[in-house]
Amino acid sequence: MSDRIRSHRLDLSRRHILRGFGGAAIAAGFLPATRPALAQAVFATNPFQLGVASGDPAADGFVIWTRLAPEPMEIGHGMPGAPVEVTWEVAEDRGFATVAQKGTAVARPEIGHSVHVELTGLKPDRPYWYRFAAGRERSGTGMARTTPAAGAPLARARFAVVGCQSYEAGYFTAHRRMVETSPDFVFCYGDYIYEGRGNRLRNGPDGIYENVRQHMGQEIYSLDDYRRRYAQYKMDPDLQTAHAAAPWFVTWDDHEIDNNWVADVDQDGTDPRIFALRRQAAAQAYYEHMPLRAASLPVGVQMQIFRRAAYGNLLDLNLLDTRQFRSDQPCNDRWNTPCDQVNLRDAEVLGRRQHDWLMANMRGSDARWQVLAQQVMVMDLDRNPGADTVYNLDTWAGYRVPRERLLSGIKALGRRNTVILTGDEHQNYAGEVQVDGKRPANDPVAVEFVATSITSGGDGQDQRAETSAIQAADPQLKFHNDQRGFLLCDVTPDTWRTDYMVLDKVSVAGGAARVRTSITVERGNPRLSIA
């Protein structure tokens, strides 16, 4: 293997692979006893059922991922309980005429026969194509792009924001439409899977709806449960196409584990020691299915998800984790009239270590734009205007002290170039973020673009009447929309434009996408201008 490749810490030498297969490998037909090296695996079904992906791009490389699973929905996913060697290639052209690097990796049973290859030594700011092979089987081809070198002058970046993709609520057509926009990279803010049992029917705002398709099985708790749920999602051809088209930066929200979980607390009051077992299974399955670096390999229940990425001198992308280090939601964890708990001085959303890390990044950055890529809304919206004030207490609105700490820190920097990217709401929002969050609007310190869901919530409508009332009562909220889709961000040194891309339908495959509106912000003036 080239010394330019940073070894995955779970990779083994061929001698260790041989030892790991042992008699079980011989019995399975993978390794004749007379051969000193690993024989080619033979699969009855293509093992690359879950596709390929790339992620965490840097100026000199990225992660390439796959997982061997010839029978993805079965326990054991159709693989022997032994390591299997996988070869990979990275090329400078789609036809692989000029191979930049190649090597071998080990798909280990302990991590679901997933493969995470961390590449270094590549050229900055250019596309590469990659593929895998196991035995006589070859994967599809993916394309990834290295980032511009840190600090390099850059005229433009174009990327997409996606998340909240309930399998039952609709088809993943938005992913295919996103690929058609040719983004440099994708930020997925979370809710990649949903953990609930399969249901034929669901409750909607106007009655009972029939789900377009169904989850297999009951609510998921074990590692095998989570593996099968990821497999069901990843076999979707639109999602596979999106992963193969561009590198992704991924973070999680709540449904990758359980609705509204934070730290060691779930929504059902489960004993934290028992909930820790579920967290551990969910974290391992998340790592197994995402193009993440070895630094994110879970240690017990903990997983290193917050991290920073530079995109030339244009963007500093701070990927945040608003679940692992957060204190319990106040006031019984519901949309609720605020109680005294929203003002707790020891409340946390990011936790002190992550907060300090973020502030240090932003103070030391010379990038034209500071980006907070995270999960839950920072804008402080009254969800029940004209009556008792109601907040969504699973957002930053339920945590007054850490919210003020974050926004005061941004204000103290004085740069006025911070953009917050958010999801979770299943609607599109755009607004200006103030330290005090109250009306009338004061001088904002940042702007926030909230991406709608890929499918969660079903087809939707252009605008909900109740959200129009919220916007009328909250002048910091400048736009809302209740259709499915994604954000497309087009960034230059002085202007940021976000296109709200919406689909006419997700209840049928092949929906049409259009730009619902375009919203811009000028660097140094965190106020929104709507086209």
Side-chain angles (χ1 to χ4, degrees):
M1 184 179 294
S2 167
D3 60 7
R4 295 181 298 173
I5 307 301
R6 184 185 300 114
S7 296
H8 191 298
R9 68 182 183 190
L10 296 182
D11 279 354
L12 299 178
S13 68
R14 294 180 66 84
R15 179 179 300 174
H16 286 144
I17 297 167
L18 178 62
R19 187 178 300 146
F21 267 93
I26 296 170
F30 283 87
L31 184 62
T34 57
R35 292 193 59 175
L38 186 63
Q40 285 193 339
V42 177
F43 300 96
T45 305
N46 189 301
F48 298 105
Q49 300 282 331
L50 306 185
V52 299
S54 66
D56 275 12
D60 65 344
F62 37 77
V63 178
I64 56 174
W65 169 94
T66 194
R67 179 180 168 227
L68 302 182
E71 300 294 341
M73 303 310 294
E74 293 184 1
I75 293 177
H77 46 276
M79 292 293 293
V84 174
E85 190 173 77
V86 177
T87 61
W88 54 266
E89 294 179 291
V90 176
E92 294 184 0
D93 60 290
R94 190 182 299 274
F96 287 80
T98 304
V99 173
Q101 294 181 11
K102 61 182 178 179
T104 59
V106 180
R108 295 199 56 86
E110 296 93 332
I111 52 171
H113 291 98
S114 61
V115 174
H116 303 72
V117 179
E118 297 184 21
L119 298 163
T120 60
L122 299 178
K123 301 170 186 175
D125 197 19
R126 64 147 296 154
Y128 287 91
W129 288 261
Y130 62 93
R131 63 190 179 190
F132 298 89
R136 293 189 294 269
E137 304 287 347
R138 180 175 287 174
S139 74
T141 297
M143 192 275 281
R145 177 180 288 275
T146 50
T147 67
L154 192 63
R156 183 189 180 201
R158 181 180 177 89
F159 67 95
V161 182
V162 302
C164 291
Q165 50 187 37
S166 170
Y167 184 85
E168 294 192 325
Y171 292 98
F172 292 167
T173 312
H175 280 303
R176 194 170 293 270
R177 299 293 173 255
M178 182 263 290
V179 169
E180 293 166 0
T181 69
S182 301
D184 298 325
F185 63 87
V186 177
F187 164 53
C188 179
Y189 56 75
D191 289 349
Y192 190 96
I193 62 165
Y194 281 68
E195 79 283 14
R197 71 180 182 185
N199 286 296
R200 185 177 68 86
L201 302 175
R202 63 183 171 89
N203 291 319
D206 302 314
I208 304 297
Y209 294 81
E210 185 167 11
N211 283 321
V212 208
R213 44 192 184 174
Q214 288 181 237
H215 286 144
M216 291 186 64
Q218 297 295 311
E219 184 162 346
I220 54 179
Y221 292 93
S222 71
L223 178 57
D224 283 325
D225 290 343
Y226 280 99
R227 282 174 174 167
R228 284 194 294 271
R229 186 59 54 85
Y230 276 102
Q232 187 173 15
Y233 278 60
K234 280 191 165 287
M235 285 193 289
D236 182 276
D238 293 328
L239 181 56
Q240 286 197 17
T241 297
H243 273 298
W248 286 39
F249 290 104
V250 298
T251 59
W252 61 19
D253 193 19
D254 53 341
H255 289 290
E256 288 87 353
I257 297 179
D258 183 42
N259 181 54
N260 280 14
W261 77 278
V262 293
D264 62 355
V265 179
D266 74 356
Q267 65 177 346
D268 302 315
T270 305
D271 184 326
R273 296 170 298 178
I274 301 300
F275 181 52
L277 301 176
R278 186 179 191 180
R279 282 184 64 195
Q280 186 167 340
Q284 177 172 339
Y286 184 77
Y287 177 80
E288 289 176 354
H289 292 88
M290 294 296 120
L292 288 164
R293 297 181 183 273
S296 293
L297 182 73
V299 178
V301 299
Q302 295 296 319
M303 190 169 182
Q304 184 63 45
I305 288 292
F306 71 83
R307 58 207 189 277
R308 173 181 172 271
Y311 206 83
N313 72 339
L314 193 58
L315 299 169
D316 263 359
L317 195 66
N318 297 284
L319 298 135
L320 305 184
D321 178 351
T322 59
R323 291 290 169 185
Q324 283 194 95
F325 313 107
R326 198 200 305 188
S327 51
D328 194 12
Q329 292 97 334
C331 317
N332 298 318
D333 187 12
R334 295 288 185 269
W335 285 37
N336 210 336
T337 300
C339 63
D340 291 342
Q341 290 177 316
V342 301
N343 297 310
L344 288 176
R345 300 206 62 78
D346 60 350
E348 296 289 349
V349 175
L350 302 178
R352 290 303 181 99
R353 182 170 70 92
Q354 186 179 186
H355 172 86
D356 292 345
W357 165 88
L358 173 62
M359 290 295 108
N361 286 350
M362 296 181 74
R363 280 194 301 270
S365 173
D366 293 324
R368 301 291 292 180
W369 297 94
Q370 300 293 318
V371 183
L372 275 56
Q374 51 104 58
Q375 293 77 39
V376 291
M377 188 183 285
V378 178
M379 278 184 290
D380 204 358
L381 302 182
D382 179 359
R383 308 295 180 120
N384 190 36
D388 291 338
T389 298
V390 169
Y391 291 108
N392 178 355
L393 298 174
D394 187 45
T395 70
W396 285 84
Y399 299 81
R400 299 289 187 199
V401 173
R403 181 183 185 278
E404 182 178 357
R405 184 190 311 137
L406 171 72
L407 298 179
S408 295
I410 293 172
K411 183 177 182 179
L413 294 173
R415 296 179 185 170
R416 300 168 65 81
N417 64 343
T418 300
V419 174
I420 303 170
L421 301 176
T422 301
D424 188 60
E425 296 280 343
H426 304 173
Q427 289 192 72
N428 285 312
Y429 293 90
E432 298 166 357
V433 181
Q434 306 161 176
V435 174
D436 62 10
K438 297 298 182 182
R439 303 174 297 274
N442 295 323
D443 190 29
V445 300
V447 297
E448 183 170 21
F449 297 113
V450 181
T452 188
S453 59
I454 292 291
T455 55
S456 301
D459 289 333
Q461 55 193 304
D462 184 60
Q463 293 188 327
R464 297 184 191 174
E466 59 269 30
T467 314
S468 295
I470 292 170
Q471 182 172 338
D474 288 276
Q476 66 268 36
L477 179 61
K478 305 300 182 184
F479 170 74
H480 69 96
N481 165 267
D482 180 36
Q483 291 170 284
R484 311 287 74 81
F486 58 95
L487 302 185
L488 187 63
C489 301
D490 209 316
V491 186
T492 69
D494 296 314
T495 303
W496 181 302
R497 189 187 81 230
T498 295
D499 293 338
Y500 283 79
M501 306 295 299
V502 300
L503 269 69
D504 57 348
K505 287 185 179 298
V506 295
S507 56
V508 296
R514 67 185 178 96
V515 179
R516 171 57 178 81
T517 195
S518 296
I519 301 178
T520 59
V521 57
E522 302 297 325
R523 182 178 178 274
N525 181 24
R527 293 190 179 277
L528 299 177
S529 176
I530 301 177

